[in-house]
Amino acid sequence: MTKGANTSGTKPVSIKDVAKQANVSISTVSHVLNGTKTVSKPLQKRVMQAIEDLHYEVNMVARSLKSGKTNTIAVIVPSITSVFFPPLLKSIQTNANKEGYNVSVFGTSGDIEREKKYIQDLKSQWIDGILLSSCIDTSIPDTAGYIDSLSTLNVNGHPIPLICLESSVGPKLDAVVVDDENGTKCAVDHLLSLGRKQIAYISAPTSFSMGKLRRKGYLAALTEQGIPVDEKLMIEGDYSPFSGFQCMQQLLARNVPIDAVAVGNDQMAIGAMRAILDAGFRIPDDIAVIGYNDNFPSSLVEPSLSTVHVPKKEMGQTAFDLFIRRSKDPNVSPMHISLSSSLVIRNSTVPSVQTAWDLHSW
Amino acid sequence: MTKGANTSGTKPVSIKDVAKQANVSISTVSHVLNGTKTVSKPLQKRVMQAIEDLHYEVNMVARSLKSGKTNTIAVIVPSITSVFFPPLLKSIQTNANKEGYNVSVFGTSGDIEREKKYIQDLKSQWIDGILLSSCIDTSIPDTAGYIDSLSTLNVNGHPIPLICLESSVGPKLDAVVVDDENGTKCAVDHLLSLGRKQIAYISAPTSFSMGKLRRKGYLAALTEQGIPVDEKLMIEGDYSPFSGFQCMQQLLARNVPIDAVAVGNDQMAIGAMRAILDAGFRIPDDIAVIGYNDNFPSSLVEPSLSTVHVPKKEMGQTAFDLFIRRSKDPNVSPMHISLSSSLVIRNSTVPSVQTAWDLHSW
DNA sequence: CTGAAAGCGCTAACAT
DNA sequence: ATGTTAGCGCTTTCAG
């Protein structure tokens, strides 16, 4: 009646016990378990029966030791509480489970040493693959060695597929990113189309390719319109809402006229909104704001935040697909997939549009 | 110079190779690796040197097979995207890492079959422990067998510690919960103290102890004031913001006067706020709203949402401590820890209080 | 179609 | 203090 849960027993039952009970050899049991070879119907029955009777369950660690596979992949991200990652993690999890993989999640808190440590540990555990949103600061010298080591991670004599998430770390590694530059350019173009002239920019850390590319998009948009770039209008945050708040305060304190601000992510944008509002300005009448990523809080704040939508679900899916692709053939050449993002216009740039709270994804 | 990353190699190097290189026995290597026995300085040196030279790294899966320990715990939650869990997961992760444990996270999407499947798989993997926020519906008969099996989970001849998170599943299991009943009572008392008489309640699923207890707190508060309970004022949601929205719409459609609503969690409360506002009522002038959990979005919405604070960090910490406690002695009697919650008053009940956006935790 | 046996890499009891 | 050896539970040649 109840499922074959070894619910009470104390003695571990192994393949050996099953073999004995079924009166067959140990290898026969293994073969019916894995379908590795054809086993005659009668024996098959007996084995199944014995498995049932004994409540046998395979031991994955022994199997892993033999097979070299753990059926587990790891996802390493800077923060598991940052609102951006959970949807991504969920997507990865869903896709991985579908293919029989388990997922372990690690949060580095932006500490590169912990990132390295995790990767080291993961190798020892014979992890089947790593999806990495690295917190490495590529602006620091001597970083090349680490990046290089990532592309040649190997264990048990074979390479461990490693896929970069969100931010490409090097040309030799598979990666799935969004078209950060173009997305930001669209955002700034939108501001420009609204007639804004003094557009500030709060950047995500430019020590990462993501931050660099997004800022590049900002610059490109200005340049295209022949607007001179003013360093006074640019500042760099650290992703967090509070850093956005602080950056905006500083921008405001510089006494340069500002009628709009584009921001490297939604968290900082919301922090910036707070600073603007606290300083007594109106959004967007005095200063328009646009973020990046389209996380659910952006639909909740007042006024709702315009932003650039990033397809997190698709991103997780794609990353997992890249992992599968590389597991099948470790030698395929690295693939960089850039997902396209799209503008989401809300009230922080256009007061007249109807916007609604996102009541579904959290 | 560079860390001993086996960065390029192809041959797996085992303890055997180290032994040969150092010209010692395999067990000596093991002993210096684990400090299991005292090894003479010179040999120790030679072994360390060989490890260095060969870029040796322990193989955790082989070690696990032998030792029966994987140094990994699993956390199973209904949803990894729900805003409540990430802070909890982070806390668990932090504490676990400190003690040398890795954490695997699993989201069941509220599907009890997936929950069972995960647990089954985890047993095969010889997981060291499970922290479980179960999605089992205790109102369904035949559920006892499952709960019972949880308290006797065992593998490799020894029990697997299992700790219930957020919702106690049975007296035989360790659990860390919040004082749901009292917390809700305080919330409703607050509404009462504001002079509200027609207080509706949107419940979390009452098929779980958490939902039951919180509703009980609501009833207790009314009863204490001699206010008759009106079934028309009660309804049950499914945790999600959208369900809160729908529940509130239904409540409003019942044409019973309502001047306040207490809600089983913040997500539903925010959904309910949307419904109230959409229906043209003012918050809190016409209808006051209070939630539960104190997740960051509650500070962001307009008006900000009063709620009951739940210490997620402490919860993760406590759960992990319980795990450690039970690993050390599988036979200690089950411990139920109830964390106390506290009222957070914001503008959805008291317009005059100053509230600020939470800019720090997401 | 079935079984015997050799390890995967490691730990730990048991010699020496 | 050091070495020898027997497995942990499983997969997978290789024989029969």
Side-chain angles (χ1 to χ4, degrees):
Chain A
M1 187 83 259
T2 27
K3 283 282 190 54
N6 178 7
T7 186
S8 56
T10 35
K11 301 280 180 221
V13 18
S14 81
I15 200 175
K16 222 172 182 169
D17 304 307
V18 176
K20 196 179 302 171
Q21 169 94 354
N23 216 348
V24 297
S25 82
I26 195 177
S27 66
T28 302
V29 177
S30 176
H31 283 134
V32 349
L33 240 32
N34 303 299
T36 337
K37 260 185 184 172
T38 38
V39 175
S40 69
K41 271 276 179 268
L43 279 209
Q44 207 153 332
K45 277 272 181 268
R46 259 155 60 202
V47 171
M48 295 308 264
Q49 191 53 248
I51 289 179
E52 188 90 337
D53 294 350
L54 268 30
H55 301 308
Y56 169 76
E57 297 166 28
V58 282
N59 177 333
M60 289 308 291
V61 4
R63 176 178 284 182
S64 292
L65 182 59
K66 223 10 206 166
S67 68
K69 284 211 50 179
T70 52
N71 286 307
T72 303
I73 61 172
V75 187
I76 303 177
V77 294
S79 161
I80 103 174
T81 43
S82 158
V83 82
F84 178 80
F85 291 109
L88 180 60
L89 295 175
K90 181 183 182 172
S91 168
I92 292 170
Q93 171 122 210
T94 304
N95 285 286
N97 284 178
K98 227 180 294 178
E99 299 298 323
Y101 285 92
N102 273 154
V103 180
S104 287
V105 178
F106 301 85
T108 61
S109 304
D111 177 355
I112 185 69
E113 291 310 322
R114 288 186 65 189
E115 179 176 316
K116 288 179 182 172
K117 170 85 164 66
Y118 281 142
I119 292 175
Q120 187 73 9
D121 288 356
L122 259 9
K123 284 177 61 177
S124 296
Q125 292 171 39
W126 283 6
I127 201 84
D128 286 344
I130 299 177
L131 272 41
L132 172 69
S133 177
S134 179
C135 61
I136 194 176
D137 184 338
T138 49
S139 69
I140 292 177
D142 196 29
T143 213
Y146 174 62
I147 294 177
D148 226 65
S149 77
L150 289 181
S151 49
T152 53
L153 267 189
N154 79 310
V155 75
N156 194 24
H158 57 255
I160 304 179
L162 185 144
I163 314 297
C164 291
L165 281 176
E166 217 205 351
S167 205
S168 155
V169 144
K172 282 148 89 182
L173 292 167
D174 291 309
V176 35
V177 299
V178 288
D179 57 346
D180 294 298
E181 181 174 349
N182 187 250
T184 306
K185 181 166 179 304
C186 290
V188 178
D189 281 345
H190 169 59
L191 262 13
L192 255 9
S193 78
L194 261 21
R196 309 290 166 148
K197 303 288 185 202
Q198 294 291 320
I199 303 177
Y201 188 66
I202 299 176
S203 177
T206 52
S207 41
F208 307 86
S209 68
M210 188 197 86
K212 274 206 221 2
L213 289 170
R214 291 186 183 179
R215 189 182 52 184
K216 207 167 157 196
Y218 163 74
L219 297 172
L222 295 189
T223 306
E224 194 176 280
Q225 298 299 313
I227 299 177
V229 173
D230 183 350
E231 283 293 339
K232 281 241 181 60
L233 289 174
M234 294 170 63
I235 193 168
E236 186 170 322
D238 72 2
Y239 300 114
S240 74
F242 189 64
S243 81
F245 177 78
Q246 292 177 306
C247 286
M248 195 65 222
Q249 284 191 323
Q250 290 185 45
L251 247 17
L252 259 15
R254 287 179 188 170
N255 281 320
V256 186
I258 293 177
D259 57 15
V261 55
V263 189
N265 75 9
D266 283 0
Q267 285 103 303
M268 292 192 294
I270 289 175
M273 284 177 61
R274 188 69 268 158
I276 293 170
L277 265 7
D278 285 357
F281 295 104
R282 292 162 305 165
I283 301 173
D285 314 62
D286 300 316
I287 302 179
V289 184
I290 190 162
Y292 208 114
N293 282 353
D294 193 22
N295 301 315
F296 78 86
S298 305
S299 74
L300 257 29
V301 289
E302 175 62 32
S304 55
L305 175 67
S306 294
T307 186
V308 179
H309 180 77
V310 167
K312 296 121 200 138
K313 193 171 157 189
E314 193 182 345
M315 193 164 176
Q317 162 90 261
T318 308
F320 184 75
D321 289 348
L322 279 182
F323 157 71
I324 290 291
R325 166 177 171 274
R326 181 154 301 278
S327 327
K328 287 187 177 151
D329 179 4
N331 298 314
V332 290
S333 51
M335 191 154 170
H336 284 227
I337 297 184
S338 180
L339 269 22
S340 64
S341 38
S342 55
L343 213 52
V344 179
I345 298 177
R346 298 207 182 92
N347 300 333
S348 68
T349 57
V350 181
S352 60
V353 297
Q354 276 276 89
T355 71
W357 286 1
D358 172 3
L359 258 22
H360 289 281
S361 67
W362 52 288
Chain B
M1 186 82 261
T2 28
K3 283 285 190 51
N6 176 9
T7 187
S8 56
T10 35
K11 300 285 181 222
V13 18
S14 80
I15 200 175
K16 222 172 183 169
D17 304 306
V18 176
K20 195 179 300 171
Q21 169 95 353
N23 216 348
V24 298
S25 83
I26 192 178
S27 66
T28 301
V29 178
S30 176
H31 284 135
V32 348
L33 239 32
N34 303 300
T36 338
K37 261 186 185 170
T38 39
V39 175
S40 69
K41 272 274 182 269
L43 280 208
Q44 208 155 331
K45 277 270 181 270
R46 259 155 60 203
V47 170
M48 295 308 264
Q49 189 54 247
I51 288 178
E52 189 92 334
D53 294 349
L54 266 30
H55 301 307
Y56 168 77
E57 297 166 28
V58 281
N59 177 332
M60 288 306 291
V61 4
R63 176 178 283 183
S64 292
L65 183 59
K66 212 34 210 166
S67 67
K69 286 211 46 177
T70 52
N71 286 309
T72 303
I73 61 172
V75 186
I76 305 178
V77 294
S79 161
I80 104 175
T81 43
S82 158
V83 83
F84 178 79
F85 291 108
L88 179 61
L89 295 175
K90 182 182 180 173
S91 169
I92 293 171
Q93 172 123 209
T94 305
N95 285 287
N97 286 176
K98 228 180 292 177
E99 299 298 323
Y101 284 92
N102 274 152
V103 180
S104 288
V105 177
F106 301 84
T108 60
S109 304
D111 177 354
I112 185 68
E113 291 310 322
R114 287 186 65 188
E115 180 177 315
K116 289 179 181 173
K117 170 85 163 66
Y118 281 141
I119 292 177
Q120 185 73 9
D121 289 355
L122 258 10
K123 285 177 59 175
S124 298
Q125 290 171 39
W126 281 4
I127 201 84
D128 286 345
I130 299 178
L131 273 39
L132 173 67
S133 177
S134 178
C135 63
I136 194 177
D137 184 338
T138 48
S139 67
I140 291 176
D142 196 28
T143 213
Y146 173 62
I147 293 177
D148 226 67
S149 77
L150 289 180
S151 50
T152 54
L153 265 189
N154 80 309
V155 77
N156 196 23
H158 57 255
I160 305 179
L162 185 143
I163 314 297
C164 292
L165 280 176
E166 217 206 350
S167 205
S168 153
V169 143
K172 283 147 91 182
L173 292 167
D174 291 309
V176 34
V177 298
V178 289
D179 57 348
D180 294 299
E181 182 175 346
N182 188 249
T184 307
K185 181 166 178 306
C186 291
V188 177
D189 282 345
H190 170 59
L191 261 12
L192 255 10
S193 78
L194 260 22
R196 309 289 166 150
K197 303 289 186 200
Q198 294 290 321
I199 303 175
Y201 188 66
I202 299 176
S203 177
T206 51
S207 41
F208 307 87
S209 69
M210 186 198 89
K212 272 203 222 4
L213 290 170
R214 292 188 182 177
R215 189 183 51 183
K216 207 168 155 193
Y218 162 73
L219 297 173
L222 295 190
T223 306
E224 193 175 282
Q225 297 301 315
I227 298 178
V229 172
D230 183 351
E231 282 294 338
K232 282 238 181 66
L233 288 174
M234 297 170 61
I235 193 168
E236 187 171 322
D238 71 1
Y239 301 113
S240 73
F242 189 64
S243 82
F245 177 78
Q246 292 178 308
C247 284
M248 194 65 222
Q249 285 192 321
Q250 290 184 44
L251 246 18
L252 258 17
R254 288 181 186 168
N255 280 319
V256 186
I258 293 176
D259 58 16
V261 56
V263 189
N265 75 8
D266 283 1
Q267 286 102 304
M268 293 192 295
I270 289 175
M273 285 177 62
R274 190 67 269 159
I276 293 169
L277 264 9
D278 286 357
F281 296 103
R282 292 161 306 164
I283 299 173
D285 315 63
D286 300 317
I287 302 179
V289 183
I290 191 162
Y292 208 114
N293 284 350
D294 194 21
N295 301 314
F296 78 87
S298 305
S299 75
L300 257 28
V301 289
E302 177 60 34
S304 55
L305 176 67
S306 293
T307 185
V308 179
H309 181 77
V310 167
K312 297 120 201 139
K313 194 171 158 190
E314 194 182 344
M315 192 163 175
Q317 163 88 263
T318 308
F320 184 75
D321 289 348
L322 280 183
F323 157 70
I324 290 291
R325 166 177 170 276
R326 182 155 298 279
S327 325
K328 286 186 177 151
D329 178 5
N331 298 315
V332 291
S333 51
M335 191 155 171
H336 284 229
I337 297 183
S338 180
L339 269 22
S340 64
S341 37
S342 56
L343 214 50
V344 179
I345 298 178
R346 297 207 183 91
N347 300 333
S348 68
T349 57
V350 180
S352 59
V353 299
Q354 275 276 88
T355 71
W357 287 0
D358 171 3
L359 258 22
H360 289 280
S361 66
W362 51 290

Short mmCIF file of all heavy atoms in Angstrom, two decimals, chain A residues 93, chain B residues 76-80 106-112 114-116 118 132-135:
data_model
loop_
_atom_site.label_atom_id
_atom_site.label_comp_id
_atom_site.label_asym_id
_atom_site.label_seq_id
_atom_site.Cartn_x
_atom_site.Cartn_y
_atom_site.Cartn_z
N GLN A 93 16.30 25.36 -11.54
CA GLN A 93 15.87 24.20 -10.78
C GLN A 93 14.85 23.37 -11.55
O GLN A 93 14.95 22.15 -11.65
CB GLN A 93 15.25 24.68 -9.46
CG GLN A 93 14.57 23.61 -8.67
CD GLN A 93 15.16 23.48 -7.29
OE1 GLN A 93 15.13 22.41 -6.75
NE2 GLN A 93 15.69 24.51 -6.69
N ILE B 76 14.12 22.04 2.00
CA ILE B 76 12.99 21.89 1.08
C ILE B 76 11.92 22.91 1.46
O ILE B 76 11.47 22.94 2.60
CB ILE B 76 12.40 20.48 1.17
CG1 ILE B 76 13.48 19.43 0.91
CG2 ILE B 76 11.25 20.32 0.18
CD1 ILE B 76 12.98 17.99 1.02
N VAL B 77 11.58 23.75 0.53
CA VAL B 77 10.56 24.78 0.78
C VAL B 77 9.53 24.75 -0.35
O VAL B 77 9.82 24.27 -1.44
CB VAL B 77 11.19 26.19 0.87
CG1 VAL B 77 12.09 26.32 2.08
CG2 VAL B 77 11.94 26.54 -0.40
N PRO B 78 8.35 25.24 -0.09
CA PRO B 78 7.31 25.23 -1.13
C PRO B 78 7.71 26.09 -2.32
O PRO B 78 7.45 25.75 -3.45
CB PRO B 78 6.09 25.84 -0.44
CG PRO B 78 6.34 25.73 1.01
CD PRO B 78 7.82 25.77 1.19
N SER B 79 8.37 27.20 -2.04
CA SER B 79 8.66 28.11 -3.13
C SER B 79 9.96 28.85 -2.88
O SER B 79 10.15 29.39 -1.79
CB SER B 79 7.52 29.13 -3.26
OG SER B 79 7.96 30.25 -3.99
N ILE B 80 10.82 28.87 -3.86
CA ILE B 80 12.05 29.61 -3.62
C ILE B 80 11.92 31.04 -4.10
O ILE B 80 12.73 31.89 -3.76
CB ILE B 80 13.30 28.88 -4.16
CG1 ILE B 80 13.83 29.46 -5.45
CG2 ILE B 80 13.04 27.41 -4.35
CD1 ILE B 80 15.12 28.79 -5.84
N PHE B 106 15.68 23.00 -2.43
CA PHE B 106 14.67 22.42 -3.30
C PHE B 106 13.34 23.14 -3.15
O PHE B 106 12.91 23.42 -2.05
CB PHE B 106 14.47 20.94 -2.97
CG PHE B 106 15.72 20.16 -3.12
CD1 PHE B 106 16.64 20.10 -2.08
CD2 PHE B 106 16.01 19.51 -4.31
CE1 PHE B 106 17.82 19.39 -2.23
CE2 PHE B 106 17.18 18.81 -4.46
CZ PHE B 106 18.09 18.75 -3.41
N GLY B 107 12.72 23.45 -4.25
CA GLY B 107 11.40 24.08 -4.23
C GLY B 107 10.37 23.10 -4.74
O GLY B 107 10.52 22.53 -5.82
N THR B 108 9.33 22.91 -3.97
CA THR B 108 8.34 21.89 -4.34
C THR B 108 7.17 22.46 -5.12
O THR B 108 6.34 21.71 -5.63
CB THR B 108 7.75 21.22 -3.09
OG1 THR B 108 7.12 22.22 -2.29
CG2 THR B 108 8.84 20.53 -2.29
N SER B 109 7.05 23.79 -5.17
CA SER B 109 5.87 24.42 -5.75
C SER B 109 4.60 23.93 -5.08
O SER B 109 3.54 23.83 -5.70
CB SER B 109 5.78 24.15 -7.26
OG SER B 109 6.96 24.57 -7.89
N GLY B 110 4.71 23.58 -3.82
CA GLY B 110 3.52 23.16 -3.09
C GLY B 110 3.00 21.78 -3.47
O GLY B 110 1.91 21.39 -3.09
N ASP B 111 3.80 21.05 -4.21
CA ASP B 111 3.38 19.73 -4.65
C ASP B 111 3.94 18.66 -3.70
O ASP B 111 5.14 18.39 -3.66
CB ASP B 111 3.89 19.52 -6.08
CG ASP B 111 3.57 18.13 -6.62
OD1 ASP B 111 3.06 17.29 -5.84
OD2 ASP B 111 3.83 17.89 -7.80
N ILE B 112 3.05 18.05 -2.97
CA ILE B 112 3.47 17.08 -1.97
C ILE B 112 4.19 15.87 -2.59
O ILE B 112 5.10 15.31 -1.98
CB ILE B 112 2.26 16.59 -1.11
CG1 ILE B 112 2.70 15.66 0.02
CG2 ILE B 112 1.23 15.91 -1.98
CD1 ILE B 112 3.51 16.33 1.08
N ARG B 114 6.21 15.99 -5.14
CA ARG B 114 7.60 16.39 -5.38
C ARG B 114 8.36 16.40 -4.06
O ARG B 114 9.53 16.04 -4.01
CB ARG B 114 7.66 17.76 -6.05
CG ARG B 114 7.24 17.67 -7.51
CD ARG B 114 7.44 18.98 -8.23
NE ARG B 114 8.84 19.38 -8.33
CZ ARG B 114 9.23 20.56 -8.78
NH1 ARG B 114 8.33 21.44 -9.15
NH2 ARG B 114 10.51 20.85 -8.85
N GLU B 115 7.67 16.83 -3.03
CA GLU B 115 8.31 16.83 -1.72
C GLU B 115 8.76 15.42 -1.35
O GLU B 115 9.90 15.20 -0.93
CB GLU B 115 7.32 17.37 -0.67
CG GLU B 115 7.88 17.42 0.73
CD GLU B 115 6.89 18.05 1.72
OE1 GLU B 115 6.29 19.09 1.39
OE2 GLU B 115 6.71 17.48 2.81
N LYS B 116 7.86 14.48 -1.52
CA LYS B 116 8.20 13.09 -1.22
C LYS B 116 9.35 12.59 -2.08
O LYS B 116 10.27 11.92 -1.60
CB LYS B 116 6.97 12.19 -1.43
CG LYS B 116 5.88 12.39 -0.40
CD LYS B 116 4.69 11.48 -0.69
CE LYS B 116 3.60 11.71 0.35
NZ LYS B 116 2.35 10.98 0.02
N TYR B 118 11.70 14.35 -3.49
CA TYR B 118 12.95 14.95 -3.07
C TYR B 118 13.51 14.21 -1.86
O TYR B 118 14.71 13.89 -1.80
CB TYR B 118 12.75 16.43 -2.70
CG TYR B 118 12.68 17.36 -3.89
CD1 TYR B 118 11.79 18.43 -3.91
CD2 TYR B 118 13.52 17.19 -5.00
CE1 TYR B 118 11.73 19.31 -4.98
CE2 TYR B 118 13.45 18.06 -6.07
CZ TYR B 118 12.56 19.11 -6.07
OH TYR B 118 12.50 19.97 -7.13
N LEU B 132 12.87 21.08 6.54
CA LEU B 132 11.69 20.95 5.71
C LEU B 132 10.56 21.91 6.07
O LEU B 132 10.06 21.90 7.19
CB LEU B 132 11.17 19.51 5.80
CG LEU B 132 9.83 19.19 5.14
CD1 LEU B 132 9.94 19.31 3.63
CD2 LEU B 132 9.37 17.79 5.52
N SER B 133 10.20 22.73 5.09
CA SER B 133 8.96 23.50 5.23
C SER B 133 7.94 22.74 4.39
O SER B 133 7.80 22.97 3.19
CB SER B 133 9.17 24.91 4.72
OG SER B 133 7.96 25.62 4.78
N SER B 134 7.28 21.81 5.03
CA SER B 134 6.44 20.87 4.29
C SER B 134 5.20 21.51 3.71
O SER B 134 4.62 22.43 4.28
CB SER B 134 6.02 19.72 5.20
OG SER B 134 5.18 18.84 4.49
N CYS B 135 4.78 21.01 2.57
CA CYS B 135 3.53 21.49 1.99
C CYS B 135 2.45 20.44 2.15
O CYS B 135 1.51 20.37 1.38
CB CYS B 135 3.72 21.88 0.53
SG CYS B 135 4.20 20.55 -0.54
#
